Amino acid sequence: MTFKIQFKNEIPKNQDALAIITYENCDLSDGAKKLNQAEKKIIDRALSSNNQFKGKSGDILILNNISSVYPKIVVIGVGNKEECDGLAFETVGGKLWKAAKNFEIGSLAIDILNIKTNSKTKKEELAAHLAMGMTLAAYSFDKYKSKKPDHKETELKKITIVTEKAKEATTLFNTYSAIVDGVYLARDLVNEPPNTLYPVSYVQRIKDELKPLGVEIEVLDEKKMAKLGFGALLAVGQGSARESQTVIMRWNGVATSKSKAPIAFVGKGVTFDTGGISLKPGAEMDLMKMDMGGSAAVVGTMKALAGRKAKVNAIGIVGLVENMPSSNAYRPGDIITSHAGKTIEVLNTDAEGRLVLADILTYIQQTYKPKVVIDLATLTGAIMVALGFEYCGAFSNDDNLWKQVEKSSANTGEKFWRMPLDEAYKKEMESEVADLKNLGSLGRYGGACSAAGFLQHFIEDGTQWMHIDIAGTAWWKSDKPTTPKGGTGFGVRVLDDLVKNNFEK
Ligand code: BES
Ligand code: ZN
Ligand code: ZN
């Protein structure tokens, strides 16, 4: 991101473009009042002669040289007045950013004075969400391009959002920026190639990003994990030349009872998943660099919480391994012993994520006794068969936790669909020769549910738990208004919102 966003009470002079808002049916907002009669007439005519432009959310029309003051006038639709909430304005922001980029606008003032909001949204929230949408849309991952995309003279450099609540919006956007930083970090981690992001380098990255914000970092290397009996996680990593690592991140935002964290986030961090000896097919195997998307969401969330100094004690734990085939790799048929003491028959080395999670789920519950545990993982292809790329699948043993997450999902636009936990899925994961097996008897049928059933064997009585399968949502192949294709950073926003609304003092 290369631009600066500011909030002002008045429209600054000398802007390349002025953006004004229109509601549905081309009902122009008061922003248009800044223009003279002749200019307004041109806009009205342009709007009425354009069949495509209806003032729906994200509709955009750009008019050149009609104003004596602004070389370009951008008319942007925000849809129904009653639906003007933060999320709608993020989408508007994303689309506006893209238009500004495509039309080579260097400085843009967006007039949202006298904007109508729905009853629950404050004006400053709309303004700050508009800015957040633009920032989220502006993400790009080009560090490995030796030729950087042309930074043209005209590239968008300055955005001024004009609102009567400029001061309040500035404060609010400071907080939102911390969340965007968390999302950016999660995206960066997922986009990073697997030759540079492997367990040990990932640990360093976590330290570099989080330590300066005051997050305590503890690392368990293979020696420590072996002593603790992390037999499941270590089995997955044993075929790789890269050493496996577990990282614990502690954010103590509340001074009292430091060691007590009410909430823990757990992430699958398979930096590359070849499938191991149960090797994956070659097509698109490169995408398996994103198999650490769950861990990226956890690290990104910790960055967001620390960045905005959330008044909460939260813990993150990520299990970082590379799943490789080699003469030292674990095999189908192996029986391994987890940190919880339960033995597991390995039937497919590609069902490795659940093995990694099993050990760190046990560790976090035994060490910190959190009330709530939420794990995120790109766990199964089956969740993509069920839900595609739009929704993640969420499994929870606690209706209240589900309600809280459902609310945060609505607040942030990260879509969650509740999936079932059932004794039958747990039972399906019992082995004839060990306590458990890592592949359900029904194979791919209900694969996301049996995977969750496997994890449930490692959840202690009394722990409120949610497992979030983000295999379909951690990586997108096409752009959305506020999410460029590639690593999405999915999960950071919901978790941050969940903490804000339910766990902060
Ligand atoms: N990392 C994969 C799941 C995945 C697939 C994530 C596609 C993102 C995109 C996981 O480790 C895996 O391979 N799961 C297997 C489990 C099966 C062997 C029981 C699967 O889903 O096929
Ligand atoms: Zn796998
Ligand atoms: Zn995997």
Side-chain angles (χ1 to χ4, degrees), residues 268 270 273-275 278 280 287-288 290-292 323 347-354 377-384 389 429 438-440 443-444 447-448 450-451 469-472 474-475:
K268 169 180 173 182
V270 176
D273 183 11
T274 63
S278 314
K280 283 184 181 296
L287 282 182
M288 280 304 117
M290 59 93 142
D291 211 20
M292 31 57 68
N323 187 20
L347 289 179
N348 189 315
T349 62
D350 197 13
E352 84 297 338
R354 61 198 74 184
T378 48
L379 202 65
T380 66
I383 201 68
M384 295 155 78
F389 303 105
M429 304 310 292
N438 79 334
L439 183 67
R444 297 210 315 273
S450 54
D469 195 334
I470 58 168
W475 183 274

Side-chain angles (χ1 to χ4, degrees), residues 103-116:
F103 288 88
E104 304 197 343
I105 293 169
S107 55
L108 172 69
I110 309 162
D111 184 353
I112 58 164
L113 288 165
N114 293 319
I115 190 79
K116 307 279 188 302

Side-chain angles (χ1 to χ4, degrees), residues 159-356:
I159 296 164
T160 310
I161 297 178
V162 188
T163 161
E164 44 281 89
K165 298 282 184 187
K167 217 176 120 217
E168 293 85 345
T170 306
T171 311
L172 209 51
F173 185 56
N174 272 338
T175 307
Y176 291 3
S177 295
I179 302 164
V180 173
D181 287 347
V183 175
Y184 267 45
L185 173 58
R187 289 177 182 175
D188 276 345
L189 291 167
V190 173
N191 288 328
E192 193 67 33
N195 58 329
T196 58
L197 194 84
Y198 48 87
V200 168
S201 70
Y202 197 167
V203 170
Q204 192 54 46
R205 188 74 195 272
I206 292 172
K207 285 181 180 165
D208 293 347
E209 294 279 350
L210 298 186
K211 268 192 167 174
L213 297 174
V215 178
E216 291 172 12
I217 310 283
E218 187 185 337
V219 181
L220 308 177
D221 59 16
E222 284 191 351
K223 205 165 141 209
K224 283 188 191 144
M225 286 191 278
K227 219 163 157 195
L228 287 164
F230 279 28
L233 183 151
L234 288 170
V236 177
Q238 80 187 33
S240 169
R242 316 281 202 187
E243 192 183 333
S244 303
Q245 309 275 299
T246 287
V247 184
I248 299 110
M249 297 153 269
R250 289 185 291 264
W251 168 247
N252 298 315
V254 186
T256 51
S257 61
K258 264 202 157 191
S259 60
K260 265 198 139 168
I263 186 157
F265 304 116
V266 178
K268 169 180 173 182
V270 176
T271 58
F272 195 70
D273 183 11
T274 63
I277 296 298
S278 314
L279 194 63
K280 283 184 181 296
E284 293 202 324
M285 202 201 271
D286 57 296
L287 282 182
M288 280 304 117
K289 71 172 183 174
M290 59 93 142
D291 211 20
M292 31 57 68
S295 67
V298 171
V299 176
T301 300
M302 297 308 285
K303 178 154 184 171
L305 295 178
R308 65 175 185 81
K309 300 205 168 12
K311 292 189 178 51
V312 68
N313 291 343
I315 300 191
I317 183 167
V318 292
L320 310 179
V321 302
E322 188 181 52
N323 187 20
M324 297 293 268
S326 81
S327 65
N328 198 39
Y330 77 139
R331 294 148 292 242
D334 284 2
I335 294 178
I336 56 185
T337 305
S338 64
H339 181 43
K342 294 184 180 178
T343 54
I344 304 165
E345 181 190 16
V346 176
L347 289 179
N348 189 315
T349 62
D350 197 13
E352 84 297 338
R354 61 198 74 184
L355 302 174
V356 173

Side-chain angles (χ1 to χ4, degrees), residues 73-89:
I73 299 287
V74 182
V75 189
I76 172 122
V78 294
N80 192 326
K81 280 173 199 167
E82 302 311 311
E83 285 157 21
C84 278
D85 60 8
L87 211 50
F89 262 54

